[in-house]
Amino acid sequence: MRANLPDKNMFIRKSLPMRPDLVMAEWIGSGNDGHVFRAHSTELQRDFACKLIPSANLLGEWRIEVEKANVLQGATVVRFVDIQAWNDSEKGID
């Protein structure tokens, strides 16, 4: 739910704790479940799409839905790579 989404601006220019090489370079958009960012890896010299979804928005068979992206074909399709938890109670990230 949109009500569970933290402020998207708190993620810009921040690296992911579990992937310090990935820095949130740009906010792309938000939906009901989460925010999508363009993240850049200086280590790999490439961009990634990174979707941040609060745990309160992960309902039912959410993992199956995420993995469905890997069967899609097309130049604009982003492949699913990984799922990680990001918890920071001081900043309200879960």
Side-chain angles (χ1 to χ4, degrees):
M1 300 189 65
R2 261 190 203 275
N4 297 326
L5 295 180
D7 179 10
K8 65 185 179 288
N9 296 310
M10 67 190 262
F11 298 102
I12 301 296
R13 292 183 293 283
K14 300 286 191 285
S15 63
L16 294 171
M18 67 297 284
R19 286 283 310 267
D21 65 305
L22 282 179
V23 176
M24 301 298 175
E26 174 186 17
W27 172 73
I28 301 298
S30 299
N32 286 326
D33 295 332
H35 299 303
V36 177
F37 298 88
R38 180 179 59 81
H40 183 74
S41 170
T42 53
E43 182 179 316
L44 299 175
Q45 290 299 304
R46 64 176 282 206
D47 289 339
F48 291 83
C50 184
K51 186 169 187 178
L52 301 179
I53 306 171
S55 61
N57 291 350
L58 299 174
L59 305 173
E61 299 290 323
W62 62 268
R63 188 176 184 114
I64 293 169
E65 291 299 316
V66 170
E67 293 174 346
K68 282 182 182 178
N70 286 341
V71 299
L72 299 174
Q73 301 294 319
T76 60
V77 175
V78 177
R79 299 286 175 229
F80 166 73
V81 177
D82 198 6
I83 295 174
Q84 296 285 331
W86 183 353
N87 296 304
D88 187 334
S89 58
E90 289 180 12
K91 294 181 181 171
I93 299 171
D94 180 23

